[in-house]
Amino acid sequence: MIMGMQGGITVHRPYQGRLFAVEIVNRGAVSREVVRHPGAVLIVPCLEGDRLALVHNYRVAVNQRLWELPAGTLEPGERPDLAAARELEEETGYRASVITHLGDFYTSPGFCDELMRVFTAQELEFVGQRLEPHEDIEVGVVTVDEAMAMIDDGRIIDGKTIAALYLWMRRR
Amino acid sequence: MIMGMQGGITVHRPYQGRLFAVEIVNRGAVSREVVRHPGAVLIVPCLEGDRLALVHNYRVAVNQRLWELPAGTLEPGERPDLAAARELEEETGYRASVITHLGDFYTSPGFCDELMRVFTAQELEFVGQRLEPHEDIEVGVVTVDEAMAMIDDGRIIDGKTIAALYLWMRRR
């Protein structure tokens, strides 16, 4: 199936899934296989006393629980700041009065277009987690120093969490 | 096509590509769509005078040139440290005498199992780039402070590069 052609570029879509699609992009003799992803939001939830809320989340793709900053996939047409507020509340139970855009990055641009939009959440009020039936997410509150120690000793091995904590530390 | 079943888990593989595959993992009523990736290496190339070598690389997936640390996909059975040395030399033209493992992280474990293995490269000698015909990679040498400024002002928006520079700064 040929999806489109522009300036000598042809695009085929051999896989269309629920979350993402796979495209083959051909330009001249060069062919690249890429994942088309709707993008995601990631939240740095800031609590009093220089503390952060993390989630401990079972990840099917890597068959283990990982410590991560809360995050979630953007729904079609959804405003990223509102998605960040929604995901924060669902996953951690905290409702934020202030959501601030911190920056964006691509998670793995060698083969995937997923753009991660990073937000800081402040003035948090606990209203209770709202997980979907298949979600199994534990919340952990750590100091910033503890979060850094978890990166140092390999307890945090989620790249988006490491990158976002670095952006946050540079800009706070 | 059912690929396997273990402990109530069934795995289907609707797409098998050249670089990666897509699997649907079903466990009970829960179904997850995941990308199976061979993993990759990323190199922090350290030059004299507190300088780093970066690459400016056209990325088809995001249709732009990005500033990144050199990186590449693992070939089947390849030792990650040797892959790091090979990718560094091909992409930047620098041959390293010392390659040191710095840490690992998952780039986007919500849907993909790509593990990024991060290495420091030291005692570099310039021997010349060896690009493949389709590669279009410019090398830039910057100070550590310049690299930090490029993250701060959004010139570096590659998440693996941001995460790896943070690991490197914590551990050097």
Side-chain angles (χ1 to χ4, degrees), chain A residues 1 27 71 82 86 101 111 134 157 160:
Chain A
M1 175 176 51
R27 195 168 60 163
L82 299 183
R86 173 181 59 74
H101 184 230
F111 74 98
H134 63 277
I157 52 171
K160 68 180 179 299

Side-chain angles (χ1 to χ4, degrees), chain B residues 52 73 85 95 124 138 165:
Chain B
L52 302 171
T73 305
R95 184 174 292 165
L124 304 182
E138 178 196 344
L165 282 174

Side-chain angles (χ1 to χ4, degrees), chain A residues 14-20 22 24-25 27 30-37 58-62 64 66 68 104-114 116 134 145 148-149 151-154 156-160 162-164 166-167 169-171, chain B residues 14-20 22 24-25 27 30-37 58-62 64 66 68 104-114 116 134 145 148-149 151-154 156-160 162-164 166-167 169-171:
Chain A
Y15 175 75
Q16 173 63 61
R18 201 175 44 184
L19 172 63
F20 56 80
V22 176
I24 309 293
V25 180
R27 195 168 60 163
V30 178
S31 170
R32 299 292 294 186
E33 189 180 21
V34 304
V35 173
R36 296 294 180 207
H37 187 284
Y58 175 71
R59 292 303 200 173
V60 171
V62 300
Q64 58 187 290
L66 298 180
E68 304 177 26
D104 300 328
F105 55 80
Y106 290 108
T107 49
S108 200
F111 74 98
C112 177
D113 66 357
E114 184 188 29
M116 189 64 61
H134 63 277
D145 288 346
M148 303 299 102
I151 294 173
D152 292 345
D153 65 19
I156 292 177
I157 52 171
D158 172 41
K160 68 180 179 299
I162 299 170
Y166 177 67
L167 290 184
M169 285 187 294
R170 295 284 293 180
R171 293 176 194 186
Chain B
Y15 175 74
Q16 173 63 62
R18 202 175 44 186
L19 173 63
F20 55 80
V22 177
I24 309 294
V25 180
R27 196 169 59 161
V30 179
S31 170
R32 297 294 293 187
E33 189 180 20
V34 302
V35 173
R36 296 296 179 204
H37 187 284
Y58 175 72
R59 292 302 198 174
V60 171
V62 298
Q64 58 188 291
L66 298 180
E68 304 177 27
D104 300 329
F105 56 80
Y106 290 107
T107 50
S108 200
F111 74 98
C112 176
D113 67 356
E114 183 187 29
M116 190 62 61
H134 64 277
D145 287 345
M148 302 300 102
I151 295 174
D152 292 345
D153 66 16
I156 291 178
I157 52 170
D158 173 41
K160 67 179 180 296
I162 298 169
Y166 177 68
L167 290 184
M169 284 187 295
R170 294 284 294 180
R171 294 177 193 184

Side-chain angles (χ1 to χ4, degrees), chain A residues 37-44 69-85 87-88 99-107 113-121 160-161 163-165 167 171, chain B residues 64 108 157 159 162:
Chain A
H37 187 284
V41 293
L42 180 148
I43 306 99
V44 185
L69 288 164
T73 304
L74 274 172
E75 292 176 7
E78 193 177 22
R79 263 178 54 182
D81 56 343
L82 299 183
E87 289 285 354
L88 174 68
I99 297 272
T100 313
H101 184 230
L102 193 61
D104 300 328
F105 55 80
Y106 290 108
T107 49
D113 66 357
E114 184 188 29
L115 182 65
M116 189 64 61
R117 295 148 194 268
V118 184
F119 294 88
T120 308
K160 68 180 179 299
T161 296
L165 282 174
L167 290 184
R171 293 176 194 186
Chain B
Q64 58 188 291
S108 200
I157 52 170
I162 298 169

